[in-house]
Each structure stands twice: as structure tokens, then as C-alpha cells.
């Protein structure tokens, strides 16, 4: 009798196998699956027929019977995108079905990567499947049940809204299938759209503990308050984004305040709360790193995160000889020297007929006239002849044009003088040997003790040389020292920019420089590692970003970088290094004149003594001669 029932069962399976094969192929074609794994109850011939039909539709497949736990593990090992999983429960006991679903849950196979089709013999047997609590919002499971119409199947969409505080398992009609019309869907909405109503279930989001929150103010009131928005911008921005997400998906948001972040804790209290399944979301966005990927699942990047040293660009501490030479090109300087030489020669020749002086005097006067004309000075030399006056007037015109162009070039160069900048590099920053300090940030040591060569060099050669008591100070004091110059302060831009915007003038803003301690990135919202809200949260935050709400609140809770207006940038006062070349020229002239003076003085004294000695000798000789002659 038992043998007859078994034979009859397999006969029914064989008769309906062709119909079910078409159902399986049509469904996975509809899902766009590229690969399928399955547990079937078919004979080898029917399995071969199913494989052939799937391959003809560009779906690679592997079919097996449930023999051991390794069969479930084989499905979990496949990481294909758009992968299909078929599970025929008709030849499995209740324990085997529970075993498969339990192992699939442990292996996290009920995720957005896989589309499941589960074949159930009748509506009463679906209760075994509904007992599984691993189904989430991202699961894609369709249960096919034979309908009253021959060779037709009712399709049901099964998903759960479970979290740590409970939830519901939802079973909704997805459509039906028959050989004539094939798949008929009752809804054309996407999976996320169909499941967007979370029916006011409670989800917990954790936020950083705030030192600025008044004792009498609740956490939710504080997170909506605009006071201290720059210091708490990240957390308050995160609250608004999760609140928008709750309005989009109809769930109740419960805010949880994180414990104090203890020194030396590399993960942080928010990550640990997520890893322990105490909460569902991160309310405060967090930075991504490799270690955290094993503790939670990242969802969406939203908040720009960076920390940097702020300082005013230091001026080079050397004499700027180019300030004198740069206004004119080398060709102009050579041409001016050549023209001046020609004018001196002409003056030397013409002055011969003007006053008839010796050659060296005429040359000296010509040089003084030309240099005086270039320096916009006149001369007291008498000029009677018309030729002399014409040459002098041409020289003055030439010097006037040269002086005008030179002055204009100097002013233009001063207005367009580039502000000294360095690369965004800790190595280059360390070579400036500036005084520096930082705001107290719990993760500052994590950034300073990174393993890359540049950060290690800066940490060992620069940061450790600062006395311990001088390494940290409040932002107000640090930014004020940055304004005075020669000082660098490390903090978040959201903290520094309000002080800079209110206290710095335009030139100080233009001279402001930033050197990043950590590479700029975007802080990310995250969920628990096995969360069923991953996909729905990612889609929701993407929608919020695409319609502009993220950008709007980002502008509200962050502070934009102060703008350097170069159109109203004034020329800075000339410092000693710019005026140095002029002083050097003056001192060289004074030294040269002293040398010439001393030379003339000693040469003149030598001639005077020689003439005096000759006169004394002559007078002595006359006196002796008179005595001899009795005169």
C-alpha cells in the first residue's frame, strides 16, 4: 500500500513537471536571474529538462536533492548578483524544511542578492515557512501554491518587518501563473515600493552624546534646536535625515544617546551598540574603515567629513630681489642699458662744444645727467647750444616713459602677487616649523598614529616635540592665534569656519590655508550587520538626496568656507623683505662713496704733504743761501 502511494506521488510529480518547469523558467526570466540553484523533487529526466530550458534562456543552473548541510552551504558560497534559488518542499519533511530555512538564515541567504521561489503543495503547508523570522524587508521570496484551476499557481510575496523589538510577517498576493497567460502580476510596483509602509513600527537610532545639551532639554528637542549647530552639526543633520526616512516609510523613531566614547576605543560606542543589536540605525553618520565592515553594514554616504590644520600662509623670510627686477623683462633692461650708454656717449661728445672741459669731466657730467633723468631729477649744468638741450629733453622724455611703465608694473605686480601656498601635505607642513595646537578630539590619536610614512614622520618630528600642556586648546583661542599669524590649529571645518567668518578680514581669509590630517571622506549611515532594513534605507536615503533635501539640510547644519574676494583684495603693506633690496642698494652706494672718499682723502693728503715738503725745502735752501751771502 505504501509503495503504491509513493508511485502515485511520483506519477503526479512527473505529470505536472512540464507545467512547473515552465513556471520556474518564466519566473526567473521575469526576475532577470543569471544563475539558479535549486532543491528539486524531480526525476533525473525532469531535472535535465529544467536545466535545458533554463540554459536556453541564458540562465545557468545547478540542481540537487537535499542530502547534507553542504548543499545549503554551496548556495551561500555563490555571490552572484541576481541569483535565483528554487526550493521544492513537496518531498521534504517539516524538519527538513525548517533545517533548510534555518541554515539559509544563518548563512544570510535571505538577502537582496537572491530571488527565492518556494513551491508548496497546498495552503496549509505554508505555515511551516511562515514560522521563520529571518525574512526581512530586503528578502525576495515568492511562494507558489497550486490553485483550484488546473495547472495554475497562486503566487504570494512573503517578507518580514522584524527587528529587535518584534515585528510582523506579511503575506500579500503577488499574482498567478497559468500556461496560457503565464505570469500575471497584481502590482507593477517595485519591491521597495510595495513594502514602504512599516505600519508605525518602532526603530531605534543612536546619536553621539552631546556636551552642549542643557540638562532640562530632552534629546529630541535638542537635536531639532539650531543652537550650537556647528559643533553638533553632524548629529543634528543625522537626526533630520533619519526623521525624513521615518516619514517616508511610516515608522516611529526612537532616539538613543550613546555612552561616552572612551579613550583607546577604536570602534566607538555607536558601532558597538549596532554590533550588539541594541539599535537599528546610526543616527550620527560615521566614517568608514576596514575594521568596522565586520561589525555593521554601511548604507549611504551623506555628511562630508574632514579635519585639518588651519593657518595663515607664512611669507618667505628672505630678501625679495625680484621685486626690483621683475616689473621689466630682461630684454627691456638690456635695451634700457644700451640706450643709456648711447645717450651718455652723445652727451660726452656734445659737451665738448658746450664748455670745453676735459674728457673725464664731460663723461662724468654725462653719466650724472642720464642717471638723474632716469631718477626723475634735473641738472644745474648750463646748456647753451640747441643740440645739447634737444638731447637732454629726449633723455627726460625717455626716462619719463620708462618711469611710468616701471611704476605701473610695480603696482600691478603688487596687486597680483600670488599668496604663498604649500601642498596639502603633512610633510611640507612640518617643514614650516610653526607653533600648533588642536581641539580635543577623541579620535585625534587614531589619525596621528596611522601607519603611512608621511603621518608617522609628522607625528615623530613635529607633534611629539610640542609640550603636552600646549597641545590642546579651545577653538576660540586657537583661531584667534591663527588670525595673528605664525600659528596652526587643528579642528573640524564646521567648528573653525564660523570664527573665521566673523573675525578674519578679506586678506586674512585669502591667506588661510588648510592641511588635512585625515583624507576627506563622507560619513555614512549604517545598520546592524544582519539588518533587514539595509536596502530600504539605502533607497530611501538616495531618494532624499536626489530631491535636494539632503543638500538643503547640509547647508543648514554645516558652515560654508569663507570666500576670498580677490576683486576687493587690497595690497598689503610693504614689509622689510620687500623693501630690503632698496636698502641694500642705498647701503652699497654709501659704502662705495665712502671707499672713494677715503681714496681721494688719502691721495689728496699725500700730494699735499709732498708739496709742503718741497716748499719747506725751498725756503730752507733760500735761508741758507742768504746767510752765506751775508744778505
Amino acid at each position: 500500500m505504501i509503495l503504491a502511494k509513493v508511485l502515485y506521488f511520483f506519477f503526479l510529480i512527473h505529470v505536472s513537471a512540464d507545467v512547473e518547469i515552465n513556471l520556474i523558467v518564466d519566473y526567473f526570466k521575469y526576475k532577470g536571474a543569471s544563475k539558479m540553484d535549486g532543491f528539486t523533487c524531480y526525476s533525473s529526466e525532469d531535472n535535465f529538462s529544467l536545466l535545458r530550458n533554463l540554459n536556453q534562456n541564458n540562465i545557468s543552473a545547478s540542481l540537487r536533492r537535499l542530502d547534507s548541510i553542504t548543499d545549503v552551504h554551496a548556495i551561500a558560497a555563490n555571490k552572484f548578483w541576481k541569483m535565483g534559488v528554487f526550493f521544492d518542499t513537496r518531498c521534504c519533511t517539516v524538519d527538513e524544511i525548517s533545517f533548510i530555512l534555518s541554515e539559509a538564515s544563518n548563512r544570510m541567504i535571505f538577502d537582496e542578492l537572491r530571488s527565492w521561489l518556494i513551491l508548496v503543495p497546498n495552503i496549509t503547508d505554508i505555515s511551516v515557512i511562515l514560522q521563520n523570522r529571518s525574512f526581512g524587508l530586503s528578502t525576495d521570496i515568492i511562494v507558489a501554491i497550486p490553485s483550484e484551476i488546473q495547472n495554475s499557481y497562486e503566487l504570494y510575496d512573503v517578507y518580514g518587518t522584524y527587528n529587535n523589538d518584534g515585528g510582523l510577517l506579511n503575506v500579500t498576493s503577488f499574482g498567478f501563473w497559468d500556461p496560457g497567460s503565464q505570469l500575471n502580476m497584481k502590482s507593477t510596483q517595485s519591491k521597495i515600493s510595495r513594502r514602504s509602509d512599516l505600519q508605525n513600527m518602532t526603530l531605534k537610532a543612536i546619536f553621539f552624546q552631546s556636551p552642549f545639551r542643557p540638562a532640562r532639554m530632552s534629546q529630541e528637542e535638542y537635536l531639532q534646536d539650531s543652537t550650537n549647530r556647528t559643533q553638533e552639526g553632524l548629529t543634528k543633520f543625522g537626526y533630520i535625515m533619519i526623521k525624513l526616512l521615518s516619514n517616508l516609510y511610516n515608522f516611529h523613531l526612537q532616539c538613543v544617546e550613546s555612552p561616552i566614547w572612551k579613550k583607546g576605543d577604536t570602534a566607538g560606542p555607536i558601532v558597538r551598540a549596532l554590533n550588539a543589536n541594541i539599535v537599528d540605525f546610526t543616527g550620527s553618520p560615521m566614517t568608514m574603515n576596514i575594521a568596522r565592515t565586520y561589525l555593521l553594514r554601511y548604507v549611504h554616504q551623506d555628511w562630508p567629513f574632514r579635519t585639518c590644520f588651519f593657518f595663515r600662509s607664512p611669507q618667505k623670510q628672505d630678501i625679495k630681489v625680484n621685486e626690483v627686477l621683475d616689473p621689466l623683462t630682461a630684454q627691456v633692461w638690456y635695451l634700457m642699458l644700451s640706450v643709456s650708454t648711447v645717450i651718455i656717449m652723445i652727451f660726452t661728445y656734445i659737451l665738448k662744444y658746450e664748455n670745453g672741459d676735459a674728457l673725464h669731466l664731460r663723461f662724468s657730467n654725462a653719466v650724472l645727467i642720464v642717471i638723474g633723468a632716469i631718477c626723475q631729477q634735473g641738472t644745474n649744468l648750463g646748456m647753451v647750444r640747441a643740440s645739447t638741450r634737444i638731447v637732454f629733453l629726449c633723455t627726460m622724455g625717455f626716462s619719463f616713459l620708462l618711469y611710468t611703465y616701471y611704476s605701473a608694473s610695480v603696482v600691478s605686480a603688487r596687486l597680483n602677487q600670488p599668496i604663498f601656498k604649500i601642498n596639502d601635505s603633512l610633510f611640507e607642513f612640518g617643514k614650516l616649523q610653526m607653533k600648533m595646537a588642536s581641539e580635543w578630539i577623541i579620535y585625534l590619536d587614531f589619525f596621528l598614529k596611522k601607519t603611512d610614512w608621511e603621518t608617522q614622520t609628522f607625528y615623530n618630528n613635529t607633534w611629539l616635540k610640542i609640550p603636552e600642556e600646549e597641545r590642546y586648546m579651545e577653538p576660540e583661542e586657537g583661531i584667534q592665534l591663527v588670525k595673528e599669524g605664525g600659528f596652526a590649529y587643528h579642528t573640524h571645518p564646521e567648528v573653525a569656519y564660523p570664527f573665521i567668518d566673523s573675525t578674519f578680514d578679506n586678506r586674512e581669509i585669502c591667506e588661510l590655508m588648510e592641511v588635512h590630517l585625515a583624507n576627506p571622506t563622507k560619513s555614512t549611515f549604517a545598520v546592524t550587520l544582519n539588518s533587514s532594513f539595509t536596502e530600504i534605507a539605502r533607497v530611501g536615503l538616495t531618494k532624499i538626496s536626489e530631491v535636494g533635501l539632503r543638500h538643503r539640510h547640509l547647508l543648514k547644519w554645516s558652515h560654508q568656507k569663507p570666500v576670498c574676494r580677490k576683486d576687493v583684495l587690497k595690497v598689503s603693506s610693504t614689509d622689510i623683505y620687500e623693501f630690503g633690496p632698496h636698502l641694500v642698494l642705498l647701503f652699497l652706494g654709501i659704502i662705495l662713496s665712502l671707499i672713494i672718499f677715503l681714496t681721494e682723502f688719502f691721495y689728496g693728503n699725500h700730494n699735499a704733504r709732498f708739496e709742503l715738503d718741497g716748499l719747506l725745502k725751498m725756503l730752507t735752501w733760500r735761508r741758507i743761501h742768504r746767510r752765506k751771502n751775508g744778505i
Side-chain angles (χ1 to χ4, degrees), residues 230-250:
T230 53
Q231 286 88 344
E232 299 290 322
L234 179 144
T235 298
K236 294 184 177 182
F237 169 81
Y239 172 78
I240 293 297
M241 295 295 288
I242 300 298
K243 194 66 179 177
L244 291 172
L245 199 64
S246 70
N247 295 333
L248 185 62
Y249 292 127
N250 188 27

Side-chain angles (χ1 to χ4, degrees), residues 30 142 147 153-157 171-177 182-190 194:
Y30 165 75
I142 298 296
S147 67
Y153 288 84
E154 295 287 341
L155 305 179
Y156 294 93
D157 186 14
V171 180
T172 58
S173 179
F174 184 72
F176 67 93
W177 181 91
Q182 297 182 341
L183 283 176
N184 290 272
M185 306 303 169
K186 289 187 175 181
S187 175
T188 58
Q189 291 180 312
S190 65
R194 295 196 309 270

